[in-house]
Amino acid sequence: MILEKNFSNLKIILVEPSGPLNVGSVARLCSNFEVDELRIVSPKCDIFSLEAKKMALKGQKFLDNCKVFYNLENAIFDCDLVLASSGRIDVSKDLFFESSENVFNWTNSFKKINNLAIIFGRENNGLTNDEILLANKTFNIPTSKNNPSLNLSHAVSIALYELNKSSIRNSSQELKVYNLASPKQIHDSFLDIEELLLRVGYLLKHTSKAKIGKFKNFILRANTSMHEINVLRGIVHQINWFLSNSKKN
Amino acid sequence: MILEKNFSNLKIILVEPSGPLNVGSVARLCSNFEVDELRIVSPKCDIFSLEAKKMALKGQKFLDNCKVFYNLENAIFDCDLVLASSGRIDVSKDLFFESSENVFNWTNSFKKINNLAIIFGRENNGLTNDEILLANKTFNIPTSKNNPSLNLSHAVSIALYELNKSSIRNSSQELKVYNLASPKQIHDSFLDIEELLLRVGYLLKHTSKAKIGKFKNFILRANTSMHEINVLRGIVHQINWFLSNSKKN
């Protein structure tokens, strides 16, 4: 489902993560969303611990191949475009944050990016102002004012989802193949349905047209498939057959 | 930042979760995204354990006030609109899944929803086909083909983010007024329909479940209104009445 990416290489960068469960969860997400590399700046926990591995599941190779750096500058040295996530609400007025959706739409407007990086800060304090200034743009995920602070891996999941979705939206979408019933098939089925409903007294001859019209509109609106309209016809035939065989005369 | 919601009450429903860390993480997300209630169907872990509470942080009240149900039907009894999440790729061809973005845009096109519910399945197996048929729509979060399976709380975070974002996007748009039949109304109608189809011999007792499931899926997908489901019930009652009055004995 991940199509037409405009970047060759996507790196997720965690700055001083302190929870091994979070690091493991992020590794799993890297696998879920086809990230190319996990980079960690000065980890504050054992990123190779059993706890981390248990959360990573199929993403364990991202832990095994993880690159560790001593500062953020070194971790982004080879990146062409760098985005940063911030959940902070106490930010300096000079820093300008945009919504995640806008930032990823903007990211997808480039023709070609070689190395794209997304930075996530510490669980408790996020990124410092200096670190934020190493990114081209900083995005904010809209949450409740009462409890805005997202878990680290939840912020990563939302960012990767949004980046992926923007890629899909911007590519020419693959078309669904769906075996729709033709208007003629629907029309023909309704001749049978109308006859049955007149027979059982649900419809009266002089008002049936208006009533059946509503029902037909419903079937058309429902994008009914050829198979589904055949099921409906089968039901009508079976009720007719049953009526003919259980009548008094 | 959460503005102009078109629903009064949002319920997150977890079906048989087995990981206390996941349940705690989801409780935190409920707080991050202003969910009103967490409901759990037959939990397979201790949802009040220390592990769950540690992940919940400020969302602990969602664990404390969590409502537990024995089956999914009871958990959605009061909901007007029900969405289900599915990560399954082995689904029956008759089930129709849409992208998360489309489903939440559709959800936000209603003028007013009283109780909105979003269902998430088991960590390993997701939801059964029968459970999926209790929802108006089922959405799928696009992920990598090689490792499509998202962690439960990541799926919840993405769904809540998308719902929240769609609310913001649609808040200025003109809203559709549409009187949708609730999943409970549809479920009840199908008890009548199934009875009739067994009576006339269209369905056989041992295969009826699978066949009726296809029909139900079609009705759900068709955005059937309250008026339309009543028309369907009226037809079924009339045929039953006619059958009873035209039988030999």
Side-chain angles (χ1 to χ4, degrees):
Chain A
M1 280 292 276
I2 298 183
L3 302 162
E4 302 280 345
K5 293 188 286 193
N6 66 335
F7 47 86
S8 314
N9 209 291
L10 174 61
K11 298 169 203 311
I12 292 294
I13 304 178
L14 304 182
V15 178
E16 299 189 1
S18 58
L21 296 175
N22 284 337
V23 176
S25 293
V26 171
R28 177 172 176 177
L29 284 165
C30 288
S31 170
N32 290 144
F33 288 101
E34 297 184 358
V35 169
D36 295 283
E37 198 181 295
L38 178 60
R39 293 182 169 185
I40 303 192
V41 179
S42 305
K44 299 299 175 199
C45 62
D46 181 1
I47 61 174
F48 304 111
S49 67
L50 191 64
E51 272 179 299
K53 284 176 185 166
K54 269 171 71 178
M55 295 306 283
L57 296 177
K58 283 192 188 172
Q60 204 190 306
K61 65 168 189 251
F62 288 92
L63 295 178
D64 298 338
N65 303 326
C66 166
K67 283 192 188 151
V68 175
F69 295 84
Y70 291 102
N71 65 48
L72 183 55
E73 260 171 69
N74 292 342
I76 60 157
F77 76 101
D78 58 351
C79 299
D80 313 296
L81 194 80
V82 178
L83 309 175
S85 163
S86 175
R88 284 169 55 195
I89 44 173
D90 62 327
V91 287
S92 139
K93 276 182 188 157
D94 302 322
L95 295 172
F96 184 71
F97 294 178
E98 293 181 59
S99 78
S100 35
E101 186 177 18
N102 287 348
V103 167
F104 288 109
N105 274 330
W106 171 81
T107 304
N108 277 292
S109 69
F110 291 92
K111 192 156 184 181
K112 191 78 199 151
I113 302 166
N114 284 322
N115 288 303
L116 172 63
I118 315 178
I119 310 171
F120 296 86
R122 300 155 192 85
E123 283 96 335
N124 294 330
N125 311 314
L127 297 166
T128 65
N129 289 359
D130 285 348
E131 285 164 346
I132 284 174
L133 290 173
L134 291 170
N136 296 84
K137 275 188 192 282
T138 302
F139 61 89
N140 189 280
I141 295 168
T143 46
S144 166
K145 262 183 250 163
N146 300 324
N147 184 15
S149 167
L150 285 172
N151 163 278
L152 172 59
S153 78
H154 293 156
V156 175
S157 72
I158 290 167
L160 287 174
Y161 165 76
E162 187 66 79
L163 176 67
N164 178 29
K165 213 181 53 165
S166 303
S167 309
I168 292 172
R169 196 188 301 120
N170 290 354
S171 71
S172 58
Q173 284 191 9
E174 232 180 315
L175 292 172
K176 259 183 280 180
V177 182
Y178 196 70
N179 208 358
L180 217 63
S182 73
K184 180 165 164 42
Q185 284 170 319
I186 292 174
H187 179 77
D188 291 351
S189 307
F190 270 80
L191 297 178
D192 294 343
I193 292 172
E194 189 169 6
E195 195 193 320
L196 169 67
L197 295 181
L198 284 165
R199 185 175 184 183
V200 299
Y202 181 80
L203 295 176
L204 301 173
K205 200 97 204 171
H206 63 285
T207 54
S208 81
K209 213 173 169 176
K211 276 206 162 184
I212 207 83
K214 284 187 192 176
F215 193 15
K216 205 169 166 182
N217 177 45
F218 168 71
I219 293 290
L220 284 164
R221 204 191 65 211
N223 294 340
T224 310
S225 73
M226 229 158 348
H227 173 71
E228 285 160 346
I229 203 78
N230 284 337
V231 167
L232 205 58
R233 283 191 107 155
I235 291 174
V236 169
H237 287 171
Q238 180 69 27
I239 295 175
N240 270 327
W241 178 89
F242 187 83
L243 287 173
S244 302
N245 287 280
S246 66
K247 261 197 188 159
K248 265 175 198 136
N249 38 13
Chain B
M1 279 294 275
I2 299 184
L3 302 162
E4 303 278 346
K5 294 187 286 193
N6 66 335
F7 47 86
S8 312
N9 209 291
L10 174 61
K11 296 169 205 312
I12 292 293
I13 304 179
L14 305 181
V15 177
E16 300 190 359
S18 58
L21 296 175
N22 284 338
V23 176
S25 293
V26 170
R28 177 170 176 179
L29 284 165
C30 288
S31 169
N32 289 144
F33 288 101
E34 298 184 358
V35 169
D36 295 283
E37 200 179 295
L38 178 61
R39 292 182 171 184
I40 303 192
V41 178
S42 305
K44 299 298 175 201
C45 63
D46 181 1
I47 60 174
F48 304 112
S49 66
L50 191 64
E51 272 179 298
K53 284 177 185 165
K54 269 172 70 179
M55 295 306 283
L57 296 177
K58 283 192 188 173
Q60 203 190 306
K61 65 169 189 251
F62 287 91
L63 295 177
D64 297 338
N65 302 325
C66 166
K67 283 192 190 152
V68 176
F69 294 83
Y70 291 103
N71 64 51
L72 183 55
E73 262 172 65
N74 292 341
I76 60 155
F77 75 102
D78 59 348
C79 299
D80 312 296
L81 195 81
V82 178
L83 309 175
S85 164
S86 177
R88 284 169 55 196
I89 43 172
D90 61 328
V91 288
S92 140
K93 277 184 188 153
D94 301 317
L95 294 173
F96 185 74
F97 293 178
E98 294 180 58
S99 78
S100 36
E101 185 176 21
N102 287 350
V103 167
F104 289 109
N105 275 328
W106 174 80
T107 304
N108 277 292
S109 70
F110 291 93
K111 188 155 187 181
K112 191 78 200 149
I113 301 165
N114 285 320
N115 288 302
L116 172 63
I118 315 178
I119 310 172
F120 296 85
R122 298 157 193 82
E123 282 95 336
N124 294 329
N125 311 312
L127 296 166
T128 66
N129 289 358
D130 284 349
E131 286 164 347
I132 283 174
L133 288 172
L134 290 170
N136 295 86
K137 277 190 191 277
T138 302
F139 62 89
N140 190 281
I141 295 168
T143 46
S144 165
K145 264 184 247 162
N146 300 325
N147 184 15
S149 167
L150 285 171
N151 162 279
L152 172 59
S153 78
H154 294 155
V156 175
S157 72
I158 290 167
L160 287 173
Y161 165 76
E162 187 66 80
L163 176 67
N164 178 29
K165 213 181 52 165
S166 303
S167 307
I168 293 171
R169 192 187 305 124
N170 287 355
S171 63
S172 56
Q173 286 175 14
E174 226 183 317
L175 296 169
K176 253 189 282 177
V177 182
Y178 194 69
N179 210 356
L180 211 67
S182 75
K184 179 164 166 43
Q185 285 170 320
I186 292 174
H187 181 76
D188 291 349
S189 307
F190 270 82
L191 298 178
D192 294 343
I193 292 172
E194 190 170 6
E195 196 193 319
L196 168 66
L197 296 181
L198 283 166
R199 186 175 182 184
V200 300
Y202 179 79
L203 296 176
L204 300 174
K205 202 98 203 170
H206 63 287
T207 55
S208 81
K209 214 172 167 180
K211 277 207 161 184
I212 206 82
K214 286 186 193 177
F215 193 16
K216 202 170 168 183
N217 178 43
F218 168 72
I219 292 291
L220 284 163
R221 206 191 65 210
N223 296 342
T224 311
S225 72
M226 230 163 334
H227 174 70
E228 285 160 344
I229 202 78
N230 284 336
V231 167
L232 204 58
R233 283 191 108 156
I235 291 174
V236 170
H237 286 171
Q238 181 68 28
I239 295 175
N240 269 327
W241 177 89
F242 186 81
L243 287 173
S244 301
N245 287 280
S246 66
K247 260 195 191 157
K248 264 176 199 136
N249 37 11

